[in-house]
Amino acid sequence: MKVLGINASPRGDASNTGKLVEAVLEGAGDAGADVEFVDLCALDIDYCDACGACYATGECPHIDDMVDMLDRIAGADGIVLGSPNYINSVTAQMKTFFDRLADGIHCQLLTGKYGCSVCTAGGSHADEVTTYMNETLFLMGATIVGGLGELMMGQPDVPDDTVAEAKHLGGILGQAIRTKMKDPEQDVAHEAMREHFRQLVTSRKDEWAHDYEHWSSMGWL
Ligand SMILES: Cc1cc2nc3c(=O)[nH]c(=O)nc-3n(C[C@H](O)[C@H](O)[C@H](O)COP(=O)(O)O)c2cc1C
């Protein structure tokens, strides 16, 4: 079992959000997962141009670090997202990463995988940003196991009890992966979402040949 942690703060080792992502990974590691931390801001990921090539061919014209990230995501059973609150949302780097995953939403890339998110904020909206990241994981088909938002309120470092909470969250993630945890409420919502994309992909099948072939090869049509 593999868990990928992705931090989107540009502050590198100084990032408090990164410390929470690391703590989640530590908890998942203790639960038996192989873990990997990715500093998203150290990667070269271009903006989505909305050309639609990914829907049509499965390929993006931008040959950059997203190619490798897609491989890492494919090989992971669990994904941990971390972003500081930048103007009541994720950082631009995380949003750019999300936009490049638009085809991952059409193709329900995270089906059968589990996820959670963490955020730190100067003074507000840490929970809202956490929820937004979890909603994005959910949109790609992942089952969400929890989230953690911390308001820093002038503290230089995330407090130990929050780090412990993040580690606990990692344990829950590891356990969910190991037991293939079912969440009936999320399963119902996933099925409704999948019906929406089934109709969308079918109605655009000539234009979005890759998406239609993917749905067909998965036996979802
Ligand atoms: C460009 C920018 C925008 C920010 N916007 C907000 C904001 O809207 N609300 C807030 O509470 N904190 C805001 N902050 C503060 C960060 O969310 C906070 O310092 C966070 O803990 C940084 O996380 P990091 O240590 O992982 O980089 C902002 C910081 C920056 C640099």
Side-chain angles (χ1 to χ4, degrees):
M1 92 180 165
K2 281 195 184 159
V3 175
L4 181 65
I6 302 169
N7 181 35
S9 163
R11 296 201 317 123
D13 290 345
S15 165
N16 278 310
T17 313
K19 284 172 191 134
L20 292 183
V21 174
E22 295 270 22
V24 176
L25 291 180
E26 195 184 332
D30 290 350
D34 290 332
V35 300
E36 185 182 8
F37 179 92
V38 172
D39 180 355
L40 198 67
C41 298
L43 302 184
D44 171 29
I45 298 179
D46 295 334
Y47 296 136
C48 170
D49 296 324
C51 66
C54 54
Y55 305 151
T57 68
E59 303 286 333
C60 178
H62 290 278
I63 306 302
D64 56 17
D65 288 330
M66 201 61 198
V67 177
D68 184 49
M69 281 305 284
L70 286 169
D71 279 349
R72 291 187 204 195
I73 290 169
D77 305 292
I79 311 280
V80 184
L81 296 181
S83 174
N85 170 4
Y86 274 15
I87 324 294
N88 297 342
S89 189
V90 293
T91 60
Q93 290 87 341
M94 181 62 91
K95 184 59 169 64
T96 301
F97 175 62
F98 285 168
D99 290 350
R100 291 286 299 280
L101 286 167
D103 195 48
I105 293 175
H106 282 190
C107 292
Q108 295 291 282
L109 182 68
L110 303 185
T111 299
K113 301 181 193 282
Y114 295 85
C116 63
S117 301
V118 296
C119 172
T120 68
S124 74
H125 291 77
D127 287 341
E128 289 84 344
V129 174
T130 300
T131 299
Y132 170 59
M133 289 187 280
N134 273 343
E135 283 171 351
T136 306
L137 291 172
F138 182 85
L139 265 179
M140 286 184 272
T143 299
I144 307 306
V145 304
L148 184 57
E150 173 73 8
L151 300 181
M152 297 304 292
M153 309 302 274
Q155 305 168 102
D157 298 304
V158 270
D160 291 346
D161 58 340
T162 309
V163 172
E165 258 186 83
K167 195 172 163 186
H168 180 67
L169 179 60
I172 293 171
L173 178 62
Q175 172 88 351
I177 295 167
R178 198 175 47 243
T179 62
K180 298 193 189 309
M181 184 198 85
K182 290 273 167 216
D183 181 318
E185 217 172 291
Q186 289 191 59
D187 287 348
V188 168
H190 273 140
E191 192 38 53
M193 191 172 63
R194 193 177 290 191
E195 183 52 35
H196 165 77
F197 285 112
R198 186 181 292 122
Q199 286 179 19
L200 184 68
V201 162
T202 305
S203 69
R204 310 276 299 260
K205 69 176 179 181
D206 295 335
E207 196 185 342
W208 296 347
H210 161 74
D211 289 353
Y212 188 77
E213 276 160 28
H214 173 79
W215 274 71
S216 179
S217 70
M218 296 299 282
W220 290 346
L221 290 175

